[in-house]
Every structure is written in C-alpha cells, then in structure tokens.
Amino acid sequence: MASGDRFCSRRRALQLAFAASAGLILAPRFALADANAVADEIKKLYGDKKATDGKIKLDVPQIAENGLVVPVSIDVESPMSADDYVKAVHVFADGNPLPQVFSFRFTPECGKASASTRMRLAQTQNILCIAEMSNGTLYSAKAEVKVTIGGCGG
Amino acid sequence: MATTSVPRVRVPAQAKAGDIIEIKTLISHDMESGQRKAADGKTIPRQIINKFSATFNGKTVFEADWYTSISANPYQSFFYKVKETGEFKFVWKDDNGSEYTAASKLTVA
Amino acid sequence: MISRRQFLQATAAACALVTGSGMGSLGRVAAQQRLTQADITRFDPLGTVTILHVTDIHAHLKPIYFREPALNLGVGPEKGQPPHLTDQAFRDYFKIASGSADAYALTADDFVQLAKNYGKMGGMDRVATLLKAVRAERGDDKVLLLDGGDTWQGSWTSLKTEAADMVEVMEALKVDAMTSHWEFTLGEKRVKEIVEKSPIAFLAQNIRSKEWQEEVFPASKIFEKGGVKIAVIGQAMPRTAIANPNWMFPDWEFGLREDEMQKEVDKARAAGAAIVVLLSHNGVDTDKKMVSRVKGIDICLTAHTHDAMPGVLKVGDTAVICSGSHGKFVSRLDIEVKDRRVSGIRYKLMPVFSDAIAPDPAMSALIDKWRKPYEAELGRVVGHTQSLLYRRGNFNGTFDDLICQSMLSERDAEISISPGFRWGPNLLPGDPITFEAITNASAMTYPNCYRNQMTGEQLKLILEDVADNIFHPDPYFQGGGDMVRVGGLGYTIDVSKPVNQRISGLTHLKSGKPIEASKTYVVAGWASVNKDTQGPPIWEVIEKHVARIKTVNLTENTSVVVKGV
C-alpha cells in the first residue's frame, strides 16, 4: 500500500538500486543515461543504419514489482533457418547509469529467437531493443516500464 | 564476492528430434555494478559476470553479453532445437577472470 | 414496536414510482408492498448452466451497512462510463427509482434514511440461503459457484484465525473455484497450506515463481455443469506485489500477463470448453481493457474495485459482471449453449437484504462457532458516532477522516496518511463504535502505525505517485482503490493532468501555511508495505482516540479540491 515510508524507501531503494546491501552508504547520484546515450550506443554498433519497427516482441512489465529485478523477454519473428535467422538482439535502458543492459547472440540452433533475463531499473524509463537479422536488416521495439510506490484500495 | 558462484540449470533430460525446448539457467552472483560506495567512501569496484555462453556437442547455441544493469543472481533462458543426443555446456565469465561451468545431458528419444 | 421486516415491507410501499429496475422485479415488488426472499431469488431460468458469483466479501460473516461511493471518477475513455456513475446518474442509467430498495443498495445519496428503512445487507448465513435456493431450483449439477477473492481478509476473526473461519465458511457454501488478492497478505506459507487442503480450486494464471518463472497455482480448471464444459481461468490482482508487502510472498511474481491469458483461453477452447469464464481480480477498467484485447472470453466476473452493476457490461462479445463487495450481492448468470457456443445469457444481481432473507441455520451456527471466542472483545463499546462513518469515495471517507484524526492525536503528528482502501463497512449516526467496528476497517497483517519525518517534497511525491495509480488514463497502469487519505494536510488535484502535474497547493491545515518542499514534517501512517515497520497496530490507535473523545462528530472534509473532472 501507498504509505509514506514505503515511498521514501522505494525511491531510496531505487537510488540505491545499484547499492543495496548492508554496510554500504548511499552513493552520490550518478549521472543517468538518456535517450541520446542510447542512440550513441546504437550508432557505435550499426552506424547510421536505420531500424524499422516490427518483428520484435519486447515483453517487460508495465509496472515493475521490484526495480532491482525486472523481467525482460524478447521474441523475434524469424524462421531461424541456416540462411535466415536473428543474429543479435541488444537491449538498452535510457534511465540507468549505463545504457547497455544486454546483447544476446542467437544461432539457427536455437530454433526460435526468444530469450529472457532480469534487469535493474533505477526509475521509470524506456527500454529500447534492436534486433539484427542475418541479412543485416535492423528492427527495433520500445517499451516503458513504470517504477512506482503502488497504491491499493481494493 | 560474499559467496562462491553456483550455477543451476533446468534442461529436459529427454526430448524428440525437432522439439524446441526451453533452457533455463541461474547463477548466484552479486553483479557488483561498480557504482556503489562503501562506508569508507571508496567506490566498490565493478565485478560482474559479463558473458554467458551455451554450446551443444561443442557447437555454439546461444551467447549473452551482460552489463551492469543485469540483476544480481542472473537468470538466462533461451531455446534449443533438438537434433541429437549429446551434452550442453554452459560457461559464465566473471570480470575477475574466473569461469563457472555447468553441463547437462540430453537424450533424444 | 414493529420489526425491521415489517417496516421493510411497509416502507417498500412508498416506492411505487419504480419502473423496470435493473435488479429485475424488485421495483414491482415494492409496488406490491412486500419484499421477500422469493422476490430476490425470482429468476426466469435459461439454458442448462447457472454461474453464481460472489466477491470481495472481505471476511464479513455478519450483515453490515455499506454505502456505495458518492464520487467514483473515471478517466480517459472510462469517463462517465459504468461503473463510474454515482447517485442520480447511476439510477438514470439503470432505471432505478430514488428511495427504492435498489437505490439503497446501489447508490449513496439519502443513505442514512434508506439504511434505517431497509436495514443491513449481507451476512454469510443469508448468502447461504440464496445459494441453496438457486441450487434447489436448478439442481446442483447445473450450478457453478465462483469467488473472486478478497475473501480471507477484513475482520478480526479472520485475522485471528488466519482465515480459518472464512475458509470453512466458503467450503460450506460449496465454492468451486476462487482467485485472490488480499489472501496473499497471510503470507506464502499460510496460503499454500490452505490451498493444499481445500477442495476449492485456487486459480491464478498470472503468478510465477521468481526463481524459475514457473506456474505457482493452476491457471484454470474445466468444470462440467448441465452437460456443458466450462473453463474457469483465474486472474489474481496483477499488482499484489506492489500494492501489498511483497516480503510476505517473496518467491512469487505477479503482473497482468495478457499473452499468457490468450494462451489459456485458446487452450480451454481446444480442450472443448463451450463457456470460457475469466474469474478476475483485475478491477473493472482493467478487465474491460483486457477482454477487449484477449479474444474468446465469454464471461468476465470482475472484482477488486468493489463496483456493483445491476446489468451486464458488454465489451465486444464478452459479458462483464460486477458483483459488488462485503456480501451485499450474489450474482446469478444463466447461460444457454448451442453448438458448443454461448447463445444466451440472463443475469441478475441479487441484493442480500438481511431482513428479507431467512438465515440458513447451519451457516448461522458455523458463524457463531467462529465468533464465539472473540465475542467479548468484538462487542466492547469504545464510543459512539453522530456521523455516518463510511469508506468509499475517491478522495475521502468519514471513517478515513476518523483514522487520520486518530493518528494525528495519538501519534502526535503534524500530518497523517491512510491508504485509500475500499473495504470496511459503515456505522450509522447514533451507532456505538465497537472494537469490531474499528477492526472491520483495519484488521490486516501489517497494521503498524509508524511515525516518521518527511519533507514537503516527499509528501508531494507520494500524492503524485498514488494519484497516477488511480487517474492514469490507461487502465493497465491503474492499481485500483482510491486516493491516499490525508489528515492535517490540504491539497488541490487536477485529475486530467499527467503524473507529477496533478497535485498543487499543499497546505499544512493547522498553521494554514503552504507545505515547504525542503521542510521536514512529522507524519504518521499505517499499512506500510515495508518489513519491520515500527508502531502500535492501527486499531489500538483508533480505539485510544475514540475512547478519549467518546463521541465522534465529523465536519465535512473540504481539504481536497478536485479539478479537471
């Protein structure tokens, strides 16, 4: 429920998202990434090549239950055959200290281009996903994850 | 690291050729981000697992590069299209140079 | 002295204006000067399947007063849509006459007078009678009884027995399946212990083990009734791990899981289900969105937001049913199936008027058994109220005002905050305030009343964050419930604005001064989701306050100014 100390501790927990165990003090706020930092990272990987929307299902919760452990799944439409498969998927977060979250590299052995992991999110932010197909084509998808204190009455 | 990293995997022991099976893995690890400070004000150095890879009978199936935004005790799941009987090998690479490994046998019925 | 039942029959005569009411025949009944059990259960049967739905009982074994909200704002596409209708707008929409039994059961204005006329509602012994009547009429083999959850929490006896009272009562009612929300505040271990033993199927498609992302409870169950296969898919409150203390169920993850829902529906159809029922604890707006996106759900039995609708809400091909709360209503749905598809639905929201329904003796005895060890403390009179004490309303309720004042005085705080819970029955002016009445609005497993320091900035952030959980235009981002209640603090809210722009004009009421962002205030609150929250349980705080002031007499709360409606 939405009570004050929850809020404060959640915000603090989120500030502390990268510093959450005993014996440690709150680090001064680190500069957080932004949409530009994400764009820069993508540029480093693929230059000025354009990505089109589609093919990717980026599955993240609308609202994070715990900013320290946010499930993220991606599923890219592809036959995953020897000559037509998904090579790589990169995921970025524009509100974390560093924009990169992970890069997955698939092979036709996978059968399908689907994988899941868990990430830390410091605050409400956008998650951006780029998929590189075996022919070099790029696709992208975006989703927002809200980090909240909650509020319940039912 | 407070504890030794222990990997755990969930792979079906048996499957049919052509099945697409899900592989789930977990490893205990703090995934120290390098962005925290200790009580003495010093930054705790980054120490994460930065790479995970899975091979089957020596052939690469799936790889992941992990950054500091990956949660502690990282979880990774992915899929594999079954062809033959053999063995999965899983490797996690730590910033400090350590490698943690696990293996799992798969029998094609 | 005339009995309540005689009075109820007599006053019903005054309501001859009733036209075709949404509750079926009660309007005409009123004109005939009688309101009996037979009128409540009267139903023109259809098909071979009857589904009965109860939800959000919040552990109320005995009849209660429960006023529906006078303010229930909808935002975005839900603005002015049912269930976001109150009073005259509600009565107009469902063709209900002012002053009628239906008006009393479903709307808020003139509540005190109507409550005196029509009496309390609910009581599980009355519910048992209604259910038995339907089973007798239709035959057990045609009836499926479903419980939408929020059943195990909300009373002193359920708290003290860790819901053993409610579990036995619901089993005696022969509930077939349930889903859940507040159930989880009993903790992972207790929930599992009950579920493993109980014949009631505990369904939740949207809970996963954190570690391996595996199903924790069965997602669905197929029942066969009246020769028809009925799939029931459970959906627990998707935000339980945010809204309630997730340390109580550390291994479980929730969420909406729309894709998985679609898979469950498809699986149910493939297994031969002719009727697919979503037994949900999403809340009405969220359910309306979900069933518009997930294809193939015939009936959605919604819950969580406590709305009671005397008619079916149609969303595409899906019938959405809102069965209210606190045992006030039992929903009956008769379903006709042709060629393995739903071809007709007939619906009635049966109001549980406790004075018109004979209590089921076996259930009365069971309720007495569970209450007996606690009767003395439950009946302890702490004070009296001259005001109507109620909970529901978007921004405040008088019972919440009392709780907020109790915290200010007994915890020596400048500001108090109290959750916008929708559970907790009412007291009428003149009623004694018993310990039971206090715990009916506060019994829960994390009741500690903390006393903290907060800056003005933090207070504003809390209000903004909670407001976004209620007034976000996308229902998938709403949490259900109402705005956090405040004591000692005034503010203005523009519900039409986006997050962090809704709240302005924060004022410290005692001094009349604006709240300063950087200044620190002493704040008391309760129901923190944080582990190890320190402070006395809230019922002690309220009891101390009521015992001290003896008579509760509240003035109108004008501390929240609402804009953008």
Side-chain angles (χ1 to χ4, degrees), chain C residues 185-392:
Chain C
T185 64
L186 291 171
E188 210 165 287
K189 198 172 145 239
R190 177 66 176 148
V191 172
K192 274 183 169 165
E193 182 185 62
I194 294 172
V195 170
E196 276 162 20
K197 281 191 211 143
S198 180
I200 300 171
F202 192 95
L203 307 176
Q205 74 87 17
N206 60 329
I207 304 175
R208 296 287 181 282
S209 67
K210 257 185 200 156
E211 196 166 50
W212 294 107
Q213 297 291 305
E214 284 163 351
E215 204 174 69
V216 177
F217 302 101
S220 64
K221 185 172 175 180
I222 293 188
F223 296 89
E224 195 159 336
K225 296 284 175 185
V228 175
K229 275 189 180 171
I230 308 156
V232 179
I233 303 171
Q235 172 87 344
M237 210 286 251
R239 297 182 60 183
T240 303
I242 303 165
N244 304 88
N246 55 30
W247 57 266
M248 292 181 171
F249 35 90
D251 297 338
W252 298 342
E253 201 174 274
F254 293 70
L256 276 157
R257 304 186 194 268
E258 194 184 82
D259 291 342
E260 288 94 331
M261 178 72 79
Q262 183 67 65
K263 282 179 199 156
E264 277 307 316
V265 174
D266 297 345
K267 209 173 86 188
R269 291 282 182 210
I275 306 172
V276 175
V277 178
L278 170 56
L279 180 62
S280 172
H281 208 97
N282 273 337
V284 181
D285 292 353
T286 308
D287 271 325
K288 282 167 83 177
K289 178 169 175 179
M290 190 171 241
V291 300
S292 76
R293 291 161 61 92
V294 175
K295 300 299 164 205
I297 296 169
D298 297 304
I299 292 152
C300 169
L301 304 170
T302 187
H304 183 49
T305 39
H306 292 189
D307 305 284
M309 297 287 119
V312 171
L313 305 182
K314 282 291 266 186
V315 179
D317 292 331
T318 308
V320 178
I321 303 298
C322 312
S323 306
S325 64
H326 294 77
K328 267 182 86 176
F329 303 98
V330 175
S331 278
R332 171 173 175 178
L333 275 155
D334 275 19
I335 304 156
E336 182 186 60
V337 172
K338 274 182 194 150
D339 302 327
R340 286 181 52 197
R341 286 277 160 186
V342 173
S343 58
I345 291 176
R346 196 167 288 160
Y347 174 62
K348 185 174 182 180
L349 179 71
M350 295 190 285
V352 186
F353 285 102
S354 65
D355 293 319
I357 301 165
D360 176 72
M363 183 56 78
S364 297
L366 186 56
I367 293 169
D368 290 346
K369 179 192 94 174
W370 283 106
R371 286 175 59 91
K372 204 173 170 209
Y374 309 98
E375 281 296 353
E377 51 185 326
L378 291 173
R380 189 168 73 233
V381 175
V382 182
H384 284 79
T385 181
Q386 290 181 356
S387 307
L388 170 69
L389 296 183
Y390 64 91
R391 259 274 166 74
R392 284 211 57 186

Side-chain angles (χ1 to χ4, degrees), chain C residues 74-205:
Chain C
V75 286
E78 293 301 325
K79 189 172 174 172
Q81 295 298 310
H84 301 285
L85 299 170
T86 54
D87 294 339
Q88 194 59 49
F90 188 103
R91 291 192 295 271
D92 289 346
Y93 189 93
F94 290 107
K95 298 189 174 62
I96 294 169
S98 297
S100 65
D102 301 5
Y104 164 61
L106 293 162
T107 55
D109 43 359
D110 209 17
F111 181 79
V112 172
Q113 189 53 48
L114 294 175
K116 286 174 184 160
N117 295 353
Y118 292 108
K120 290 184 176 178
M121 296 190 71
M124 286 302 111
D125 44 6
R126 274 74 168 184
V127 169
T129 299
L130 289 187
L131 299 177
K132 273 191 178 168
V134 177
R135 288 186 194 277
E137 177 210 323
R138 291 288 266 172
D140 249 346
D141 60 330
K142 291 194 181 72
V143 176
L144 188 66
L145 173 59
L146 302 174
D147 171 11
D150 279 5
T151 309
W152 300 351
Q153 173 276 338
S155 72
W156 188 245
T157 56
S158 70
L159 182 71
K160 286 289 153 184
T161 65
E162 289 186 282
D165 59 342
M166 290 312 294
V167 172
E168 193 177 349
V169 163
M170 299 315 277
E171 287 176 2
L173 293 177
K174 294 192 278 181
V175 171
D176 291 292
M178 71 180 292
T179 193
S180 48
H181 169 205
W182 275 88
E183 281 69 16
F184 298 109
T185 64
L186 291 171
E188 210 165 287
K189 198 172 145 239
R190 177 66 176 148
V191 172
K192 274 183 169 165
E193 182 185 62
I194 294 172
V195 170
E196 276 162 20
K197 281 191 211 143
S198 180
I200 300 171
F202 192 95
L203 307 176
Q205 74 87 17

